[in-house]
Amino acid sequence: MKVYIKFVEHCILKIALDTPLDTFFDYRWLKPAPAPENGAAEATPLPQIGQLALVPFGRQELMGLIVGISEHTDVPAAKLKDVLAVRTQVAPLSEHWLALCRFAADYYQRPLGEVAVPALPRNLRTGKPTLLERHLKKLAKLLPTQDASPNPEPALNPAQQEAVDAIAAAHTFAPHLLYGVTGSGKTEVYLQAAARILAQSNEAQVLILVPEINLTPQLENNLRLRFSGIQIATLHSGMAEGERLQHWLAAHLGQARIVLGTRLAILASLPHLKMIVIDEEHDPSYKQQEGLRYSARDLAVWRAHQLAIPVVLGSATPSLETWQHAKVGRYRKLELRERAVKDAVLPVVRVINLEHEKPKEGLTTPLINAIRKRLERGEQSLLFLNRRGYAPVIACDACGWISNCTRCTAHLVMHKLDHRLRCHHCGFEQRIPRNCPTCGNIDLQPLGRGTQRMEEGLQLIFPEARVFRIDADSTRRKGSAEAAFDTVHRGEVDILIGTQMVAKGHDFKNLTLVGALNPDSALFSQDYRASERLFAQLMQVAGRAGRAAQKEGGNISEVLIQTRYPDHPLYHALMAHDYDRFANDLLEERQQASMPPFIYQALLRAEAKELQTALDFLHQAAVCTAHAGITINDPIPMTMTRVANVDRAQLLVESVSRPALQAFLKEWIATLRGLKSRVKWGVEIDPMDI
Ligand code: ADP
Ligand code: ZN
Ligand code: ZN
């Protein structure tokens, strides 16, 4: 909807600002007086909805977004302030984009400006107009060259072909669950479906979301090789601001036809968006965990619905929400049951009972033997341990002291290489003490094992092997993760030890053994989603094995899981590669226990210096608004109560009706704003960690 105002000398602009206060604010726009030299010849363009405008706000100047234009305002003339400048260099943001932000603001219960303004690149909001013009000039020169020969498309197998046909044929809202085992060629389906969509018009754009770009550079390379001649933009949080603006503008101007990004890319401006892909749709990183706690996956489905375009959710272990949608037919399930590479088969999964096998340096004999077999054949092994550092805690045998963080409900983790104890939650660190701080005992012992200690142990057991560790500590420098993975791909590594970083989509061609060292802790977690996550993680890391055709005389690919609970249903499902059954069982449990996705939830969190202050606030909150059809649970301290000297508590609110919950939240939040309290609080919709 365009608003035309002809021949006006002034009007009222409704401007959304990044403040928690209101949806929008009224400002007066005055037509600037024409400069004497060009007289009336050059008409001043009128402001448009979707343009940025600089306005005075209190003592500051803020960049806001024009969301409405009107002739009227209720603000008294004496109080009405003037717009300082309107950014006319870039095309306005579209109605569709504004609608997406409006939906997100409404659904996640935030003012529009708090959603829309931060979604724009910082340099667009704060940079000088000249900077913007420089970027635009650069882009204009950057017309893609028609490259010699793009990589050819491989012939699809029948299951892949059916999936591509179904996706590309949909000229309306069509949500698809692409349910394919690891290595089944889901990526190829995305690429060929994208190619078909791009061929349908010469301006169509495709958005591809991945959990983390830095861990999957292969996809970006594949895209560039396959679509040479087509401009590809990337959007993720690791980019420098200038680069970010450049890529954002390329998408906004329609120049980039493919946009590859992490969750934040779901809020990119894409005027000709025709398809959305969400790879590994179950991945927790699609949920933003601070500020506007949105789910990029859920917003993607809404966006596709609003634009009447196909959306593809790909996973080997779909989230239960998506699984349920597919079950009742709301999403169409497309299934890839087999590995795409000829003669590549899924690995054999076995459990090793830790009750019977005493581990040495954290490794049981069967696992040691399996690694030895790979070393003999020149094949690679991957060991998965989701715990970085040397040891999760150090302790004194004499008096029972253990290394706790004084600021958090957490242990200080021992990092041996740089002689530090570190809190992984608040960042506190200190030197490893020489003797016990309470009794002076000099014999402090590391308890448990992290990746660093495993690396040390592996080197002891296999002195001739090339052992390599990949985790957040070993890849802190920019670009070092990519370099580390390249080392593995080049075959310069025999045994790779790593955290969940190594589980993501890497296509290791020579890897035939995966060992999961200590996955049990997640089995009995308080978080009801822990087992769903553990299964996905193990399935994903298991999927790194046996991706190439088995070599002549080579080892069959294996996954060995060290556990104290070999009969746990989760491990049984894993051994049978039976996600269907596992997911269906979990769904049934959830239904019986009235848990998501059969119920809708919101979480009120409160933080204060004293736990009691936070709890008092939540008790007050529990009774301050009428709530028919809403269950308000008891306020409780969060599992990790204290982080960085702040105590945290939460209150869970539930309803079987999403609209009822939404209506309640609106009223509730308004009331909460009026409560007198010193706590910092926030409401999260569809929380993931409870
Ligand atoms: P997924 O994303 O499902 O885990 P990938 O897309 O990584 O699987 O594909 C696994 C491997 O199969 C890759 O090496 C890919 O090149 C190969 N591949 C995919 N489709 C085909 C096909 N139709 N023919 C041959 N190889 C294929
Ligand atoms: Zn002691
Ligand atoms: Zn801490």
Side-chain angles (χ1 to χ4, degrees), residues 147-154 188 191-192 195 221-229:
D147 235 48
S149 53
N151 258 16
E153 297 184 336
E188 198 51 51
L191 295 186
Q192 298 208 18
N221 286 341
N222 285 343
L223 280 170
R224 293 197 189 283
L225 291 173
R226 186 69 61 81
F227 296 98
S228 69

Side-chain angles (χ1 to χ4, degrees), residues 374-375 378-382 465-470 483-497 508 510-511:
R374 268 60 194 190
L375 288 173
E379 296 168 2
Q380 293 175 313
S381 305
L382 163 62
R466 295 166 300 176
V467 179
F468 195 67
R469 171 169 57 89
I470 296 186
F485 284 112
D486 283 345
T487 311
V488 184
H489 285 293
R490 280 198 306 270
E492 290 163 20
V493 172
D494 300 313
I495 307 172
L496 173 62
I497 164 93
F508 300 121
N510 193 28
L511 196 124

Side-chain angles (χ1 to χ4, degrees), residues 300-415:
V301 173
W302 189 88
R303 199 169 181 177
H305 179 261
Q306 203 223 8
L307 287 171
I309 59 171
V311 53
V312 184
L313 312 179
S315 177
T317 50
S319 65
L320 290 184
E321 283 76 10
T322 300
W323 190 256
Q324 174 67 7
H325 283 313
K327 228 175 143 176
V328 298
R330 228 168 292 146
Y331 295 178
R332 174 163 174 194
K333 185 159 89 178
L334 304 165
E335 208 165 332
L336 309 178
R337 294 197 157 273
E338 259 137 54
R339 286 205 155 165
V341 169
K342 192 170 176 298
D343 295 332
V345 285
L346 285 172
V348 175
V349 182
R350 292 201 187 93
V351 289
I352 302 174
N353 190 342
L354 282 168
E355 297 291 341
H356 302 153
E357 299 282 346
K358 230 171 164 50
K360 172 181 165 195
E361 302 291 341
L363 300 173
T364 53
T365 313
L367 185 53
I368 291 176
N369 292 340
I371 297 173
R372 188 157 286 133
K373 271 197 339 211
R374 268 60 194 190
L375 288 173
E376 282 161 10
R377 293 217 172 266
E379 296 168 2
Q380 293 175 313
S381 305
L382 163 62
L383 300 179
F384 170 64
L385 177 62
N386 218 358
R387 191 193 274 158
R388 65 191 171 88
Y390 186 83
V393 61
I394 62 171
C396 169
D397 270 348
C399 75
W401 173 86
I402 54 170
S403 58
N404 281 327
C405 179
T406 51
R407 317 190 323 160
C408 307
T409 326
H411 297 311
L412 292 175
V413 177
M414 174 179 173
H415 287 254

Side-chain angles (χ1 to χ4, degrees), residues 427-633:
F428 172 82
E429 58 176 276
Q430 63 177 73
R431 268 192 76 85
I432 298 174
R434 249 177 251 287
N435 36 32
C436 172
T438 24
C439 75
N441 171 20
I442 52 163
D443 194 19
L444 295 176
Q445 292 297 329
L447 295 185
R449 275 162 209 285
T451 47
Q452 289 177 7
R453 194 172 186 184
M454 281 310 304
E455 183 187 12
E456 198 180 88
L458 283 162
Q459 210 73 79
L460 276 176
I461 302 177
F462 304 106
E464 73 287 5
R466 295 166 300 176
V467 179
F468 195 67
R469 171 169 57 89
I470 296 186
D471 57 25
D473 296 314
S474 78
T475 54
R476 227 167 262 296
R477 272 177 303 108
K478 201 171 162 53
S480 59
E482 210 171 322
F485 284 112
D486 283 345
T487 311
V488 184
H489 285 293
R490 280 198 306 270
E492 290 163 20
V493 172
D494 300 313
I495 307 172
L496 173 62
I497 164 93
T499 54
Q500 60 177 352
M501 277 181 76
V502 298
K504 307 260 156 141
H506 279 271
D507 204 12
F508 300 121
K509 298 284 187 213
N510 193 28
L511 196 124
T512 60
L513 174 68
V514 168
L517 299 179
N518 188 11
D520 284 345
S521 54
L523 289 178
F524 306 101
S525 163
Q526 289 189 19
D527 180 354
Y528 70 90
R529 282 182 213 267
S531 62
E532 181 187 343
R533 278 194 201 138
L534 176 63
F535 191 95
Q537 230 169 37
L538 289 177
M539 192 82 139
Q540 200 162 34
V541 71
R544 296 316 105 209
R547 294 175 73 87
Q550 198 189 327
K551 282 191 288 189
E552 188 81 24
N555 294 298
I556 52 162
S557 59
E558 280 179 300
V559 177
L560 301 180
I561 298 170
Q562 299 192 149
T563 172
R564 271 173 218 296
Y565 309 93
D567 292 323
H568 196 285
L570 186 144
Y571 296 134
H572 276 260
L574 210 58
M575 285 190 271
H577 296 282
D578 193 353
Y579 186 70
D580 289 60
R581 167 116 179 256
F582 180 73
N584 289 336
D585 288 351
L586 274 188
L587 268 182
E588 204 163 300
E589 276 175 31
R590 296 272 185 93
Q591 187 155 27
Q592 276 165 13
S594 289
M595 289 197 292
F598 301 97
I599 199 160
Y600 301 98
Q601 298 181 323
L603 198 61
L604 173 62
R605 287 203 178 84
E607 295 183 351
K609 282 262 165 275
E610 306 282 333
L611 180 62
Q612 200 51 49
T613 316
L615 287 170
D616 287 347
F617 171 78
L618 294 180
H619 279 290
Q620 227 183 324
V623 294
C624 71
T625 305
H627 48 85
I630 307 288
T631 307
I632 296 189
N633 293 278

